[in-house]
Amino acid sequence: MINILQTEFFRLKKNILFWVLLGVCAILPLLSALLELAVLSGMSAIDTGMEYDLWEIIKTSNIGGAAISSIPNLSADLQLFGLLCTSIFLCKEFSGGTFRNMLLANRSRKELYISYMLMSVTIGACYLGAEFVATLLFDGVIFGFGTMSAANVVSACILSLALGLISVIFVQSMMCMFMFSTRKLAVALACPLAISVFIPAFIFSFVSLGAQLDMISEKDLSWIPLYNLNLLDLTAIDGALIGKILLYLIPLTALFITIGWVTFRKADLK
């Protein structure tokens, strides 16, 4: 398995797509921060008869804390880039016949499955690290963290990274499940993309409408899977909400990993 990982890491180092997407992922937080700063500056420049203190608005809005809280979201940019890279990078192994060649070289399916699962999570973690560092650097430096204490900022950053990694494992294990089940790039990319990006957006719109019409109570919102990640606010840490988020993500991740392994173990790769 170590030899397989060494080979894949060597291929990853030479992969242009990985580095391009990683650079885009790192630069987007800067563009977002500059856009938010421009909007706030424009609002303060509008003559409404009232005086606005731009830096006081920035301090009270706690933009830096909100940016850190959004990192674990399933529809975050890092998840999109991670899905694009891993699905294209790993699916070439099936289309190029690499998997069959490895099996002929007496590599077990278990070794292959674990190796490529680790590769997918590693790639996703790279994008998580890039977005986290860029967000902390740009949003944290430009906007700060409002009235949060240093201890609260550190706790928020640690939780953001931990929950972000769990979200990455969730998305990447889902991608691997579809990839090992179908061995087709279109399915391995489109299905996880729909489940992690489009379905949560649909659920968010539906739930928001239901809450406005009093069809869904505020207490029930935190129990809705995929939606409750949108409620995450690390500026005011809610342990109960985090527990409810993990209550869905961890069992589903285990389910994806199991289904992917069972289907790959029985697949005919000839």
Side-chain angles (χ1 to χ4, degrees), residues 54-127:
L54 175 61
W55 297 110
E56 187 63 29
I57 294 174
I58 290 175
K59 183 178 179 180
T60 55
S61 60
N62 201 356
I63 296 173
I68 289 294
S69 300
S70 67
I71 287 177
N73 202 300
L74 295 178
S75 57
D77 294 331
L78 69 97
Q79 304 289 6
L80 173 62
F81 294 136
L83 270 176
L84 284 171
C85 184
T86 53
S87 58
I88 295 173
F89 179 74
L90 295 179
C91 280
K92 287 182 179 179
E93 303 291 271
F94 283 107
S95 60
T98 306
F99 273 91
R100 288 193 300 271
N101 294 335
M102 287 185 177
L103 290 174
L104 291 173
N106 294 323
R107 300 292 184 184
S108 69
R109 295 197 182 201
K110 185 177 181 180
E111 282 183 301
L112 292 174
Y113 186 76
I114 295 175
S115 297
Y116 284 91
M117 181 67 70
L118 289 174
M119 280 301 303
S120 66
V121 172
T122 300
I123 293 172
C126 288
Y127 288 101

Side-chain angles (χ1 to χ4, degrees), residues 220-243:
D220 295 332
L221 294 180
S222 61
W223 286 103
I224 300 175
L226 302 182
Y227 173 83
N228 51 14
L229 265 172
N230 295 293
L231 304 177
L232 184 64
D233 181 9
L234 296 178
T235 63
I237 298 172
D238 184 349
L241 175 61
I242 293 174

Side-chain angles (χ1 to χ4, degrees), residues 200-218 221 224 227 230-231:
F202 173 77
I203 294 175
F204 181 83
S205 301
F206 179 78
V207 170
S208 299
L209 179 61
Q212 290 178 359
L213 298 176
D214 293 327
M215 297 171 59
I216 303 174
S217 67
E218 293 290 334
L221 294 180
I224 300 175
Y227 173 83
N230 295 293
L231 304 177

Side-chain angles (χ1 to χ4, degrees), residues 37 39-42 44 52-59:
L37 184 61
V39 170
L40 290 174
S41 300
S44 63
Y52 291 95
D53 186 341
L54 175 61
W55 297 110
E56 187 63 29
I57 294 174
I58 290 175
K59 183 178 179 180

